[in-house]
Amino acid sequence: MAGRYELSDQRWQMIEDIVSPPQTMGRPRRDDRQMLNGILWILCSGAQWRDLPERYGPWKTVYQRFRQLRDDGTFDRILARLHLRLREDGYMDLDTWMVDSTSIRATRSASGAGKKGDL
């Protein structure tokens, strides 16, 4: 059973090949799943990196892995795969989009009103 903010076995299997490519050379890496769970713990809890629980490993190592995954596009590949999976399962329709007007800020002049001070 996965803990809070941790990936279940089923979810890990969906992205394991993206996050944990085979390593042929160099020093063995820390467990990729443990690192990703640490990253998810930070992102979901809103805590600072230094407050990362010890079970995920040293916070500096987890932070370096986060930066690596962010910079090399791994998170983008994960998101693309999950979008594809949602589409295949029928949970997401790419033809339907919604924009919530509460998140788009417009100026007064966008609605036809003049600027402040105009008569």
Side-chain angles (χ1 to χ4, degrees), residues 21-107:
Q23 182 181 2
T24 57
M25 297 173 47
R27 195 168 94 198
R29 293 189 306 210
R30 285 195 168 263
D31 181 27
D32 293 315
R33 184 174 181 178
Q34 180 186 18
M35 295 284 113
L36 187 58
N37 282 335
I39 292 168
L40 292 174
W41 190 91
I42 288 291
L43 297 177
C44 293
S45 70
Q48 296 181 4
W49 285 102
R50 291 180 187 264
D51 296 334
L52 183 70
E54 291 179 12
R55 69 179 175 267
Y56 298 117
W59 72 268
K60 286 184 180 182
T61 306
V62 178
Y63 178 68
Q64 284 178 330
R65 186 71 60 90
F66 166 73
R67 289 185 57 196
Q68 175 191 353
L69 296 176
R70 180 196 63 193
D71 294 344
D72 69 7
T74 300
F75 288 133
D76 294 329
R77 290 193 301 277
I78 291 171
L79 188 61
R81 176 171 295 173
L82 296 178
H83 277 165
L84 181 62
R85 178 74 182 261
L86 288 172
R87 187 173 178 196
E88 288 171 351
D89 292 346
Y91 291 114
M92 186 170 82
D93 180 14
L94 296 180
D95 297 328
T96 305
W97 294 89
M98 182 187 87
V99 176
D100 182 5
S101 65
T102 60
S103 63
I104 300 175
R105 186 176 177 111
T107 62

